[in-house]
Amino acid sequence: MKKFSNSLKKIWLALLFSAPAALFFSYHPVISLGSSEQMNFEFSLAEIWLILFSLASLVNLKDFFKFYGKKLFLFAAFPAYAALSLLWIPNRLRALLTLGLLALLIFSALNIYYYIKTSPKKLPLLQKILVLSAVGFSIFCWLQCILDLAGVSRSATLLCRGCTYLAFGYPHPNGFAIEPQFAGNLLLVPTFLMIYGLITKKYLFKKPLSQVLISIFLTTTIFITFSRGAIYALIIGLGLIFLSQFHVIKHNRKKSNKSAWLIIPIALASFLVALTFQGIFSAVSPTNDTFWSGVTKSIHQLSLGKIDLRPPEVSETKTEEEDNIALAELTEDPSETEASTFSGYVEQSSAFRSQLTKDALDIWNDSPKNLLLGTGLGSAGIKLLEKDPELGIEKEIVQNQYASILLELGLVGFLLAAATIIFIIYQIKPNALLGSTLIALGFTLFFFGGLPNALHVYLFPILLTDPLVKRSRRHK
């Protein structure tokens, strides 16, 4: 029996150390088991990892309960209330699957934190696996761009619709994620970890030059994904890390860290390199885009149309109807074409997301019951379709996690979720890196909702909770 238990613990450890790599496969490859009107039945490698790790974690159940004690009741409050909403849910199958995923996610997060607290010396290894996985993921993102420009089909490159050069004249990759916004989001935590280690001289890798090059490479890749949510979060996170290094604490007379100024040239260099490649990609693509049109389109899109340096022939404004037609046409694979689909900022894409949030909040405050208790876990798609039949499908989600919680679980669920997060933050007492990362990731939740494609948002930050990175010997 003891030998069997030891074997299970080895499997558990193997799964734990595979976590940073497994979570990068948040959508591709995907195992499809069919679909219904309300949802697709799919499994990604990240979800399969979550299930296996949760099962393997049962081997530590005794120590797990001893480690957390009565605190477990606080962690269980939010999922317990979510389970209670099954009493008034219109779609119980989706609710049950969502609830199962939520329970597995919380259980896995607590197990990872338990391991880090009880084996802190292993944390640098987990962090190295995270960063190296991010580098590999980024290399694949760049490979997607090259293959797309070479005319390889989406079925081979795994690019999402709208990610090919047909959209803006240059491709913007999604890696193994479902969309570029998740690809960029996946890279945030390893990027913050590397840059923070660089400016505090707590190097994860022996050579500082490696730290610099990896920091620039990861940051540049986030810009290449062209995800505004991830890029804005990157700026917020780096800004907070920068500010955290300029203070004086009286009781230990901690001095400001002048190395923090390195953040500015790293961010600027990465942005300029990304812009340059977007221009090059535009120039070599089969479209009639040029280097300058590619660069100016990128600036126009990222600035939400506020900065317009586009050539006159590119800057023609399209109507909402034309944008909708263009979005539909993006289902096609790349082929030789004269003009790219979009000439700059795609206002309709932002407007659609904003409308989903507005509709969700309108439904939420429609009645006292909705306001307090919500419409039930997993019910967003059904309720949104009732509100706006033009959506045409019940699979739509609120692309705003905060509005989604309010809609489905009401004010009670929202406050329980907030209380749980506040309790966790109070217990962990975040350092500058973790605090900045949590705020940046919290910001990204305004841009998407759901759990299947965002497991990393809740698991990656755990790797920043304790001794951050191993110091290089030369800096001890």
Side-chain angles (χ1 to χ4, degrees):
M1 187 67 182
K2 188 176 181 180
K3 185 181 289 187
F4 178 70
S5 178
N6 289 335
S7 298
L8 285 180
K9 285 190 176 182
K10 288 180 180 179
I11 293 173
W12 178 74
L13 282 173
L15 286 167
L16 189 147
F17 280 93
S18 69
L23 293 176
F24 277 96
F25 295 90
S26 61
Y27 187 74
H28 293 292
V30 63
I31 300 173
S32 179
L33 303 177
S35 63
S36 67
E37 291 182 357
Q38 291 83 27
M39 61 188 300
N40 296 322
F41 300 105
E42 299 173 335
F43 283 101
S44 66
L45 286 183
E47 290 171 311
I48 293 172
W49 172 88
L50 184 70
I51 295 169
L52 294 177
F53 180 71
S54 297
L55 291 173
S57 296
L58 294 174
V59 73
N60 297 318
L61 209 54
K62 184 179 178 181
D63 294 333
F64 176 81
F65 278 112
K66 185 178 179 181
F67 178 80
Y68 284 105
K70 295 179 180 179
K71 295 176 184 177
L72 281 175
F73 290 103
L74 295 171
F75 293 122
F78 176 67
Y81 174 74
L84 186 64
S85 74
L86 291 173
L87 296 175
W88 59 85
I89 192 72
N91 181 6
R92 284 192 172 84
L93 177 59
R94 178 163 185 155
L96 283 169
L97 292 174
T98 303
L99 180 63
L101 196 61
L102 176 63
L104 293 178
L105 179 59
I106 293 174
F107 185 52
S108 295
L110 291 174
N111 269 281
I112 294 172
Y113 183 69
Y114 154 75
Y115 179 76
I116 289 173
K117 294 297 288 186
T118 55
S119 306
K121 292 182 179 180
K122 297 294 185 180
L123 180 58
L125 178 57
L126 280 167
Q127 292 173 337
K128 282 185 179 180
I129 295 172
L130 171 64
V131 171
L132 292 176
S133 299
V135 170
F137 181 84
S138 297
I139 291 172
F140 180 72
C141 285
W142 287 88
L143 181 62
Q144 281 184 310
C145 294
I146 294 169
L147 293 176
D148 179 60
L149 292 169
V152 178
S153 69
R154 286 198 303 115
S155 61
T157 63
L158 304 183
L159 281 172
C160 69
R161 73 172 191 133
C163 293
T164 70
Y165 67 73
L166 283 176
F168 290 94
Y170 50 83
H172 46 294
N174 55 283
F176 300 107
I178 192 170
E179 293 177 359
Q181 66 172 331
F182 293 106
N185 201 281
L186 277 159
L187 296 173
L188 288 174
V189 173
T191 301
F192 292 148
L193 175 63
M194 290 303 289
I195 292 178
Y196 186 82
L198 179 64
I199 65 173
T200 57
K201 295 183 173 60
K202 298 176 182 178
Y203 302 117
L204 190 59
F205 299 94
K206 290 182 179 180
K207 295 182 180 180
L209 181 59
S210 300
Q211 198 95 5
V212 174
L213 294 177
I214 292 175
S215 296
I216 293 175
F217 181 55
L218 295 181
T219 307
T220 303
T221 306
I222 292 176
F223 283 115
I224 282 292
T225 64
F226 208 42
S227 163
R228 286 170 299 178
I231 291 171
Y232 298 161
L234 173 71
I235 295 169
I236 290 171
L238 292 181
L240 291 172
I241 290 173
F242 177 81
L243 292 175
S244 72
Q245 300 305 299
F246 292 92
H247 61 278
V248 177
I249 301 176
K250 291 183 180 179
H251 67 270
N252 64 6
R253 297 181 181 179
K254 185 174 181 180
K255 295 180 180 179
S256 298
N257 181 7
K258 294 181 180 179
S259 296
W261 288 101
L262 286 171
I263 290 175
I264 296 176
I266 287 174
L268 284 176
S270 301
F271 177 59
L272 291 175
V273 170
L275 270 184
T276 300
F277 272 98
Q278 285 171 333
I280 293 172
F281 290 160
S282 298
V284 301
S285 73
T287 68
N288 59 4
D289 284 283
T290 63
F291 178 90
W292 183 243
S293 72
V295 168
T296 54
K297 278 185 186 182
S298 178
I299 294 172
H300 193 249
Q301 171 76 350
L302 292 178
S303 67
L304 304 179
K306 303 300 181 184
I307 302 175
D308 192 355
L309 305 174
R310 297 171 299 166
E313 64 272 15
V314 177
S315 59
E316 295 179 4
T317 303
K318 290 185 178 181
T319 65
E320 182 177 323
E321 184 179 353
E322 288 173 325
D323 270 342
N324 286 332
I325 294 172
L327 284 167
E329 289 175 347
L330 285 175
T331 56
E332 300 298 325
D333 276 335
S335 58
E336 290 190 9
T337 184
E338 186 174 322
S340 52
T341 305
F342 300 116
S343 58
Y345 173 47
V346 187
E347 186 175 358
Q348 181 57 20
S349 176
S350 301
F352 177 69
R353 293 168 184 264
S354 298
Q355 187 60 47
L356 286 175
T357 297
K358 182 178 181 299
D359 287 345
L361 295 177
D362 284 345
I363 299 167
W364 168 60
N365 61 27
D366 267 353
S367 68
K369 180 260 181 184
N370 286 357
L371 193 71
L372 287 175
L373 304 179
T375 58
L377 187 66
S379 63
I382 294 174
K383 296 301 179 181
L384 287 172
L385 184 62
E386 290 175 0
K387 175 77 174 179
D388 182 8
E390 290 186 6
L391 286 175
I393 57 172
E394 294 181 359
K395 297 177 183 179
E396 191 59 73
I397 62 172
V398 185
Q399 297 187 36
N400 178 326
Q401 188 61 53
Y402 303 107
S404 181
I405 293 175
L406 281 172
L407 170 62
E408 295 187 347
L409 299 176
L411 197 57
V412 174
F414 189 88
L415 291 177
L416 279 174
T420 303
I421 293 170
I422 292 170
F423 173 73
I424 292 171
I425 291 174
Y426 174 77
Q427 292 293 316
I428 294 175
K429 295 178 176 59
N431 48 63
L433 172 59
L434 179 56
S436 302
T437 300
L438 290 176
I439 292 172
L441 291 177
F443 171 78
T444 66
L445 294 180
F446 283 106
F447 293 85
F448 59 83
L451 294 177
N453 298 301
L455 299 178
H456 65 279
V457 172
Y458 308 98
L459 297 179
F460 278 175
I462 303 172
L463 304 184
L464 310 179
T465 53
D466 247 355
L468 299 180
V469 282
K470 183 173 61 177
R471 287 181 180 269
S472 171
R473 289 182 180 179
R474 70 182 68 182
H475 291 285
K476 282 188 177 181

